Amino acid sequence: MKNFVLFICIALLFITACSNSKEPPAEAKVGIKDKEKLRLSIWLPEWQNKSAMEDVKNSLDGLQDIRVFGAYFNSKDELLLTENAIDMLQQTQQQFNDSHPVILTLINDYVTDNAPSVQKDSTLLHRLVQDSSARQKHINNILQVVDQYQVSGIEIDYEKVAQKDLRNYILFLKELYKALSKKDVILHVVLEPSFPFNMKLPNGPIYTVMAYNVHGYHSGPGAKATYSFLNDLVRKVKKSNQDLAIAFATGGFDWVAEGQIVALTELEAEQLLAETNAVKQRDKGSGAVYFTYVDHDNVSHEVWYADQETLEKWVNYIQKRSYHDVVLWRAGGLGARTLQWISEQSIE
């Protein structure tokens, strides 16, 4: 009997010691670790200068770098910064250079006088990288911009790369990285979800893959990203020889029954939700918010957008798959809860 009582006492002491332990359970430890490892960056569109700058100021603590979007191309295939872009770049550098790297994003949009701009121009990209001479000319132009504006980094966001240009595009990235390294300037590269990730990418640049545009101007109503899309994307990028950051899009769209599609920021979508007294719903397949309403002209609308909860769900989804670097498209028109959530992501 004494032995039995002694056994019970020892068992109770063991249970008490375990229950008083400060060591969190395994699941909690994973969650804390993942949150600490999240690294957020954000793009600032040059056409939304004031609100984008305000958003950055209100979320700066949670950001690792700031990317000014950006520089286009003129009729001579040379880089072109609009007055808005120059103003935003200079303001960003003046206010944030001491604490955050300021990166200038280059986009293969073709802007000429007296003609509509061409977005994501494959023919322009072909001319820029088609041979060694063309690549060197373009790299020299980039270096001129680096010297002129003293940026911490350059980001290449060249989309719709034709199959025939892939090899030369890869060579261009390798050659550009080498040239920028001599100036101690970092190189970022944005890749589309359709990029062939089994193709070997050069070491050195920091790569980001776009995880959006599932629905948009090209489609009917829906979320910019879905869990099934993210699952397929992760499967594809795992083939890459590089670690990639994941880019998510804020805001959303209003699909009008008559065929018009209107882009909305998060604030615009939430204002519309309030004004129309619509019922806010959340899609299980994406975490995105959606609602419908009928306007004063009796025209039906369907709105989908990402709020803070959507972004957090997307981030958690990829963090569980060991992706901890995230870039947000974009600042400007973000809600208060979203800005607070970004600000809380400091890794210090």
Side-chain angles (χ1 to χ4, degrees), residues 39-254:
R39 293 174 289 272
L40 280 177
S41 304
I42 200 164
W43 281 292
L44 284 73
E46 52 93 6
W47 59 86
Q48 206 161 7
N49 193 325
K50 185 177 179 180
S51 60
M53 291 293 290
E54 283 299 315
D55 281 355
V56 170
K57 290 177 186 176
N58 291 325
S59 60
L60 192 62
D61 288 346
L63 297 172
Q64 303 309 304
D65 61 54
I66 299 165
R67 308 182 187 192
V68 175
F69 189 100
Y72 312 118
F73 288 85
N74 62 20
S75 59
K76 298 179 181 179
D77 291 353
E78 296 172 339
L79 288 166
L80 166 70
L81 275 77
T82 65
E83 290 183 7
N84 281 345
I86 293 171
D87 183 49
M88 173 172 278
L89 181 60
Q90 291 175 342
Q91 283 191 54
T92 305
Q93 290 174 318
Q94 289 168 6
Q95 297 186 46
F96 310 125
N97 235 5
D98 290 342
S99 59
H100 292 71
V102 175
I103 297 160
L104 176 63
T105 302
L106 316 184
I107 311 105
N108 59 320
D109 287 4
Y110 193 59
V111 181
T112 57
D113 294 331
N114 304 317
S117 62
V118 181
Q119 294 186 341
K120 313 302 180 282
D121 189 354
S122 297
T123 58
L124 165 64
L125 183 52
H126 172 74
R127 294 195 299 272
L128 294 175
V129 303
Q130 61 185 313
D131 55 38
S132 178
S133 176
R135 293 194 300 273
Q136 190 56 56
K137 180 181 177 182
H138 182 33
I139 289 171
N140 289 341
N141 186 203
I142 294 173
L143 295 177
Q144 289 171 356
V145 169
V146 168
D147 289 340
Q148 182 175 356
Y149 296 104
Q150 294 298 299
V151 292
S152 304
I154 288 290
E155 181 172 62
I156 300 297
D157 182 10
Y158 294 170
E159 300 175 27
K160 296 184 179 178
V161 183
Q163 180 69 33
K164 65 180 180 180
D165 293 320
L166 276 171
R167 179 179 173 276
N168 285 330
Y169 177 65
I170 296 297
L171 286 173
F172 161 70
L173 296 179
K174 184 176 182 180
E175 293 161 0
L176 177 59
Y177 174 75
K178 184 177 179 181
L180 290 175
S181 294
K182 293 177 181 179
K183 293 180 174 290
D184 199 26
V185 173
I186 55 180
L187 175 61
H188 288 255
V189 179
V190 178
L191 301 173
E192 295 179 274
S194 58
F195 187 85
F197 291 99
N198 55 345
M199 176 171 279
K200 187 175 182 180
L201 291 165
N203 295 327
I206 302 168
Y207 298 93
T208 299
V209 60
M210 300 175 351
Y212 47 90
N213 288 344
V214 175
H215 297 91
Y217 289 117
H218 61 285
S219 73
K224 289 188 176 183
T226 63
Y227 298 133
S228 61
F229 163 75
L230 293 178
N231 204 44
D232 291 342
L233 181 63
V234 167
R235 236 186 349 253
K236 287 196 288 186
V237 299
K238 283 189 180 296
K239 298 176 184 177
S240 179
N241 65 311
Q242 301 292 338
D243 294 327
L244 285 89
I246 309 291
F248 292 120
T250 65
F253 293 94
D254 181 353

